Amino acid sequence: AQKVTQAQTEISVVEKEDVTLDCVYETRDTTYYLFWYKQPPSGELVFLIRRNSFDEQNEISGRYSWNFQKSTSSFNFTITASQVVDSAVYFCALSEGVTGGGNKLTFGTGTQLKVEL
Amino acid sequence: DTGVSQNPRHKITKRGQNVTFRCDPISEHNRLYWYRQTLGQGPEFLTYFQNEAQLEKSRLLSDRFSAERPKGSFSTLEIQRTEQGDSAMYLCASSHRGEYNEQFFGPGTRLTVL
């Protein structure tokens, strides 16, 4: 069975600090996808990134970067120079690559990030 | 460019009543998903459709829950004889079929069962 663990329940930082959100996953499949979603106070989940299991190249998008390491089954997310607008709950999610399947997402419990002035 | 829409946004009902939620996916998306999210938790998968066919249902979906997607467009989720434990945010998402399967979520319907 697939599982996603986000051990950090809540993180508080001061604006402009860097912060890393941890994600550890479990799956028996060799083909799978990893995702990060942001859920701001308004409640709507916003897609941030998708990674497939064959692509371990780290990715940077503006202030966001992602570190995918299959050896440790981790897909960590770093926000550089955090801003108040980054305050939200961040979810890591896993989708197993099932032939003919629906690619349902298994989410972690989320990390609440609070960025203060 | 419209995203996923859900109605109503909020629903308060008394225990034992039936409720129905609607989801309108992004128009060109042929997959539609329902999830449930309780306070402090991540969304949990309930069911999904590819076009009009319901292809998978979670064990979370008791026989009081039923979902439909007639004509492969909008979808409805009905809960019969609601219980207080059904109180949650019900999220709908849609995606293209294929390798790039990121799901785009709607704003959710928050259900409160009194």
Side-chain angles (χ1 to χ4, degrees), chain A residues 33 37 50 101-104, chain B residues 31 33 56 100-103:
Chain A
Y33 296 87
Y37 282 84
R50 176 197 67 250
N103 303 111
K104 63 187 177 187
Chain B
R31 285 185 174 170
Y33 305 78
E56 188 171 351
Y100 299 102
N101 59 339
E102 61 263 36
Q103 296 174 26

Side-chain angles (χ1 to χ4, degrees), chain A residues 49-81:
Chain A
I49 190 172
R50 176 197 67 250
R51 254 300 177 254
N52 74 52
S53 51
F54 298 108
D55 183 2
E56 286 193 73
Q57 194 170 21
N58 292 330
E59 182 160 340
I60 298 174
S61 175
R63 296 184 298 107
Y64 295 169
S65 62
W66 291 269
N67 184 339
F68 175 30
Q69 292 195 341
K70 288 179 75 170
S71 60
T72 55
S73 297
S74 65
F75 185 44
N76 296 338
F77 173 30
T78 297
I79 302 175
T80 303

Side-chain angles (χ1 to χ4, degrees), chain B residues 58-81:
Chain B
S58 161
R59 284 175 292 180
L60 292 175
L61 215 64
S62 75
D63 55 8
R64 296 184 298 106
F65 288 70
S66 63
E68 295 182 343
R69 192 183 182 197
K71 303 178 183 178
S73 56
F74 70 92
S75 176
T76 58
L77 177 68
E78 180 183 15
I79 309 175
Q80 296 182 326
R81 305 182 303 281

Side-chain angles (χ1 to χ4, degrees), chain A residues 22-38:
Chain A
D22 297 334
C23 173
V24 174
Y25 63 92
E26 295 176 31
T27 177
R28 295 178 196 168
D29 274 18
T30 56
T31 301
Y32 52 89
Y33 296 87
L34 295 163
F35 302 79
W36 276 94
Y37 282 84
K38 174 182 180 180

